[in-house]
Amino acid sequence: MKLIFFLKSFLLFDHSMPSNTRKLLKEEEIFGAMMANRFRLFAGIVFLIPAFANLSNTLSFLGLLTNFGALFVYFANAILHGRILKSSSIKWKMKYEYISIFIDNALISLTIWNWYLLEGHSNPNFVIKNPLLFYYLIPLSFTLIQFRISLVLNSLFYFLFYYYLFFLYSHLNHGATGVSWYEYVLGDQIIFADALVTKPILFSFVSFSVSYGIYRSYLLLIRIANVEAEKSSLARYFSPDLVEEITSQPNAIKVGRRQKVTVLFSDIRDFTHFSEEMDTSLLSDFLTEYRSRMTKAVFAYKGTLDKFIGDAVMATFGTPVPSLTFGIDSKNAVLSAKQMFIELSLFNQERAKRSEKEIKIGIGIHAGEVFAGNIGSEERMEYTVIGDTVNTASRIESACKTLGEQLLISADVWKEIGEPNDFVPTPEIKLAGKENAIKLYAWRP
């Protein structure tokens, strides 16, 4: 069953790829076809050299016609193929590849047959001992440049068809057989069993090796594209350092788990009233600039941008993997909050130059256990954290309005960051949804 599945996926790989990837590969295949045709023209020039070198041995008119007639058709096909590739017809660009492969293999076969009629001396073994058989590798090499498995297998089919046609002709016309390798190599005889399988096995092995090489290259390209796409998507939420860590450990976000994190909430003061007075396009520009600055502050200290909720920002520190050193995640959260105020100050300076209103924000930070992981349906998954710690952090941010503070942290966070002197205790306050009043710490820069 595994072998059948592999062969099916191998042979139908082009059709199983994502549509965008298939589109890009089609473009590369057309470019590959142009390069292959240039190689075809170059190979034709190379073929001219032995054709002229053998003029002294090709005394008959039919011999000259065989060599130069085949080369004429070969060049004519290459030139026609080049014109088609420069046209706007995608359909013919893709289809003519098969015609070129057919013509290349047919010309080799006709050349072998004509030389048998001219120089074979009625020995039918001439058609399967002719060294021109190895010329079938040339159209096979063109298919590798074109990066299409179907063309590789197509070229192999033509070789097997013509070879066994020649072999059948030799057998039916009583070609001499024996067991002498000397006679097989230098004489008129063939070793029947070897002639039956050796060259077909050789060509088949090369063809399947080329096909598998293309297949593996496809897989590699798709993996690279998926990783880059994943990095691009993750870069919107995670800092560059975390993106590298996550892509090297993909299960870090795919598997949900309970863990300790530090959660930061920030919110613009009086944003509802502020936004009502602003034109929608200006509001969009404002939010884009504001969010960009806040995201920069989060990423500066290895934070994760969990989500934007209107003007609010939710960030986590210690996701997807908590720091091994106690208190580092909370320190990063507090440093990120302070960086937010620096970014906000710069933003307000720019706004002041345009005579625009000053922006003020409030930030709340709390640390504790949450559930972290991908949440949602298969159509839309979102990496986030949920739990009482998140709710508490949000309510601490809301308490900034009640207490008239710009940055509040919980007692747990204050202890984890070393009980610094630039944070002072506030009067105990009862947060919404909490039974007991708690002590918070306010930043005094």
Side-chain angles (χ1 to χ4, degrees):
M1 290 299 292
K2 289 183 177 180
L3 178 61
I4 294 173
F5 175 78
F6 168 75
L7 290 173
K8 184 178 179 181
S9 64
F10 178 73
L11 294 173
L12 302 178
F13 190 66
D14 285 353
H15 303 285
S16 64
M17 287 184 290
S19 58
N20 289 340
T21 304
R22 190 160 56 244
K23 180 181 177 182
L24 289 173
L25 285 174
K26 288 296 180 187
E27 294 174 359
E28 286 301 313
E29 285 171 359
I30 292 174
F31 176 75
M34 295 176 67
M35 295 303 299
N37 203 52
R38 291 174 185 174
F39 272 83
R40 183 177 279 110
L41 287 167
F42 176 75
I45 295 172
V46 174
F47 295 154
L48 282 172
I49 297 173
F52 280 108
N54 287 312
L55 279 176
S56 59
N57 301 323
T58 312
L59 300 177
S60 69
F61 172 76
L62 290 177
L64 291 172
L65 182 63
T66 296
N67 284 347
F68 289 97
L71 283 170
F72 175 80
V73 175
Y74 179 87
F75 276 111
N77 172 59
I79 293 169
L80 175 60
H81 194 172
R83 294 181 67 87
I84 289 174
L85 288 171
K86 291 179 180 179
S87 71
S88 58
S89 175
I90 300 295
K91 178 181 177 181
W92 275 105
K93 284 180 182 179
M94 303 305 293
K95 283 192 173 182
Y96 200 81
E97 297 296 321
Y98 295 95
I99 297 174
S100 276
I101 292 295
F102 168 77
I103 292 174
D104 290 342
N105 284 280
L107 285 174
I108 295 169
S109 304
L110 287 172
T111 303
I112 291 173
W113 182 254
N114 282 338
W115 278 111
Y116 162 62
L117 296 177
L118 291 171
E119 300 289 341
H121 303 298
S122 301
N123 179 9
N125 288 338
F126 183 94
V127 291
I128 56 175
K129 298 184 72 172
N130 195 317
L132 287 177
L133 284 171
F134 289 99
Y135 275 49
Y136 284 108
L137 288 172
I138 294 171
L140 178 63
S141 69
F142 295 153
T143 65
L144 173 60
I145 299 171
Q146 293 168 82
F147 219 56
R148 292 173 68 181
I149 295 174
S150 56
L151 286 176
V152 179
L153 300 181
N154 208 252
S155 187
L156 173 63
F157 167 78
Y158 287 129
F159 166 76
L160 294 176
F161 173 78
Y162 286 120
Y163 180 82
Y164 279 117
L165 193 65
F166 290 151
F167 185 87
L168 183 63
Y169 175 82
S170 172
H171 180 64
L172 293 177
N173 285 273
H174 309 292
T177 61
V179 293
S180 169
W181 279 94
Y182 181 87
E183 289 296 326
Y184 184 31
V185 175
L186 297 177
D188 293 337
Q189 298 179 4
I190 63 168
I191 298 177
F192 185 88
D194 187 80
L196 180 66
V197 299
T198 299
K199 289 186 179 71
I201 287 177
L202 170 65
F203 275 80
S204 297
F205 178 79
V206 172
S207 298
F208 283 114
S209 296
V210 169
S211 297
Y212 188 67
I214 295 173
Y215 176 76
R216 290 289 301 167
S217 298
Y218 277 163
L219 290 180
L220 179 61
L221 289 171
I222 291 173
R223 284 184 63 187
I224 292 173
N226 288 341
V227 168
E228 291 303 316
E230 185 180 7
K231 283 185 178 180
S232 178
S233 177
L234 292 172
R236 294 180 293 171
Y237 305 102
F238 298 96
S239 67
D241 291 342
L242 285 174
V243 169
E244 292 296 330
E245 183 177 340
I246 291 167
T247 52
S248 64
Q249 303 177 53
N251 289 331
I253 64 173
K254 291 181 180 179
V255 180
R257 61 182 179 183
R258 291 199 168 276
Q259 64 183 75
K260 185 179 178 298
V261 302
T262 303
V263 183
L264 178 153
F265 270 92
S266 77
D267 190 54
I268 298 176
R269 293 291 166 257
D270 300 320
F271 179 73
T272 302
H273 177 70
F274 169 78
S275 61
E276 288 175 350
E277 298 175 349
M278 190 177 293
D279 178 77
T280 53
S281 61
L282 293 177
L283 179 60
S284 175
D285 293 340
F286 165 78
L287 284 174
T288 299
E289 176 68 13
Y290 172 76
R291 289 174 174 179
S292 176
R293 290 178 177 273
M294 296 301 105
T295 300
K296 181 180 177 182
V298 171
F299 287 175
Y301 292 95
K302 299 184 178 181
T304 298
L305 179 64
D306 190 282
K307 61 175 66 71
F308 290 115
I309 310 169
D311 62 305
V313 178
M314 176 182 168
T316 58
F317 296 80
T319 52
V321 181
S323 173
L324 297 176
T325 305
F326 176 80
I328 289 296
D329 294 329
S330 290
K331 287 180 180 178
N332 283 335
V334 172
L335 289 171
S336 179
K338 293 178 179 180
Q339 185 64 35
M340 285 181 173
F341 285 109
I342 294 173
E343 292 290 338
L344 182 66
S345 176
L346 296 173
F347 189 31
N348 279 328
Q349 289 176 26
E350 293 179 6
R351 290 178 59 79
K353 293 177 182 178
R354 300 191 296 266
S355 300
E356 294 174 342
K357 185 178 178 181
E358 182 184 24
I359 303 299
K360 294 182 179 181
I361 64 173
I363 300 176
I365 303 175
H366 183 50
E369 189 179 79
V370 299
F371 172 84
N374 280 324
I375 297 173
S377 63
E378 289 186 2
E379 290 76 19
R380 181 171 176 79
M381 298 295 290
E382 177 186 30
Y383 180 81
T384 189
V385 297
I386 56 176
D388 184 65
T389 299
V390 179
N391 299 331
T392 302
S394 176
R395 286 160 187 163
I396 291 174
E397 183 277 316
S398 297
C400 288
K401 303 172 188 176
T402 305
L403 298 175
E405 301 291 349
Q406 58 180 346
L407 171 57
L408 290 172
I409 63 175
S410 67
D412 292 335
V413 173
W414 183 67
K415 291 176 182 178
E416 287 187 11
I417 64 174
E419 303 179 359
N421 295 327
D422 58 345
F423 282 87
V424 299
T426 67
E428 290 191 350
I429 183 172
K430 187 175 181 181
L431 301 177
K434 298 292 182 180
E435 294 184 2
N436 301 320
I438 64 170
K439 183 186 292 184
L440 301 174
Y441 288 81
W443 182 42
R444 292 287 187 270

